Amino acid sequence: REFLARKTPIMAITTTVSLAISMEDFLESFNPMQSQNRFCETHEDAAKSCESEVDMVLARIPARLSDRELKAFIEKQQDWILKKVNQVKKRADARTKIKVPSVDALSDAEIQKIKDKIADRVKYYCAVMQVTVGRITIRNQKTRWGSCSSAGNVNFNYQLYYLPDELLDYVVVHELAHRRHMNHSKEFWSEVARYCPDYRARRKQLKEYQLAN
């Protein structure tokens, strides 16, 4: 089960239960019979899709954990979790917001130029990394830089076009590495490092940018 809350920024908390969720909404709205339908959704494809950046709060819990046990755990840890949420918000506020034209303001020629540049980098690294992909889609995503599905389809945010080229390349390599490892294991990061040796620096730099809404 994965509960996706909508009101808080990027968050990742690792405990015995991997958890990150809006405490106020959870505790105020919690109803063991209605919680999933009222304020969250079950993300059924989580194991099949890996995202570079996700601007949501995620609670990943064992299927055997009851709603009552989950609520008790959250109530016990809520002060610490809210403290971490506030820290993440402060970091998000300090990010550089990308200055990009809205999709509506782009001409057909500009849109095609964006698509061609990103697609060219994908094709280049596919050849270098010896992987294949299905569809290459360029989107106006609100919460992520890129994603890769188990079917091999890759999606990229059009705003990558306006970032330094080395950051675009990092996101492309990151997503193509998921063609070998649909997770963020040591093997996955070794694959990224093979084609992007300074990925840690690029990843850190990417986090300094905030997607334009």
Side-chain angles (χ1 to χ4, degrees):
R1 287 180 296 172
E2 292 190 355
F3 294 99
L4 304 180
R6 301 295 185 184
K7 296 183 179 180
T8 47
I10 298 170
M11 189 66 186
I13 301 172
T14 303
T15 59
T16 303
V17 178
S18 182
L19 174 67
I21 196 167
S22 171
M23 295 302 98
E24 296 96 337
D25 288 347
F26 186 94
L27 294 173
E28 180 179 352
S29 305
F30 188 84
N31 183 311
M33 299 301 295
Q34 300 178 349
S35 60
Q36 291 188 16
N37 295 326
R38 290 179 61 188
F39 71 95
C40 58
E41 64 184 22
T42 301
H43 188 53
E44 297 178 347
D45 200 38
K48 301 178 182 178
S49 179
C50 296
E51 301 170 356
S52 295
E53 296 292 333
V54 183
D55 187 19
M56 62 178 62
V57 172
L58 174 68
R60 184 171 296 161
I61 62 175
R64 65 180 179 275
L65 190 71
S66 69
D67 289 332
R68 191 177 303 279
E69 290 172 316
L70 174 60
K71 182 183 179 184
F73 177 85
I74 291 175
E75 288 177 333
K76 182 178 179 180
Q77 302 294 336
Q78 63 175 310
D79 289 343
W80 180 85
I81 296 173
L82 288 173
K83 178 182 177 181
K84 295 299 180 181
V85 168
N86 289 332
Q87 289 176 354
V88 171
K89 287 180 179 179
K90 289 179 180 179
R91 287 199 296 269
D93 291 341
R95 289 181 177 178
T96 300
K97 195 165 188 177
I98 306 175
K99 295 181 180 179
V100 301
S102 66
V103 174
D104 294 337
L106 293 170
S107 66
D108 290 343
E110 289 172 323
I111 292 174
Q112 191 60 50
K113 189 176 181 179
I114 292 171
K115 290 181 177 180
D116 289 345
K117 179 177 181 177
I118 297 176
D120 284 347
R121 300 314 291 163
V122 174
K123 293 174 184 176
Y124 170 78
Y125 278 107
C126 276
V128 171
M129 299 171 67
Q130 298 185 349
V131 297
T132 59
V133 297
R135 293 189 305 272
I136 302 173
T137 306
I138 313 303
R139 302 179 182 275
N140 179 22
Q141 297 159 303
K142 302 298 183 182
T143 62
R144 67 191 72 171
W145 293 110
S147 63
C148 175
S149 73
S150 60
N153 299 320
V154 289
N155 300 294
F156 296 96
N157 196 309
Y158 86 100
Q159 296 182 43
L160 284 167
Y161 177 85
Y162 300 93
L163 291 182
D165 288 346
E166 62 268 22
L167 298 187
L168 167 59
D169 282 2
Y170 161 68
V171 174
V172 170
V173 169
H174 182 118
E175 297 310 333
L176 294 185
H178 283 309
R179 294 295 292 128
R180 297 191 186 281
H181 306 282
M182 284 299 294
N183 50 47
H184 290 98
S185 62
K186 290 182 179 180
E187 291 77 14
F188 166 81
W189 289 113
S190 293
E191 185 75 8
V192 173
R194 185 172 293 114
Y195 304 100
C196 186
D198 61 342
Y199 79 88
R200 289 185 177 86
R202 297 192 194 190
R203 187 183 184 200
K204 181 179 180 181
Q205 186 180 356
L206 184 64
K207 290 181 179 181
E208 296 174 357
Y209 289 91
Q210 180 181 353
L211 285 167
N213 295 325

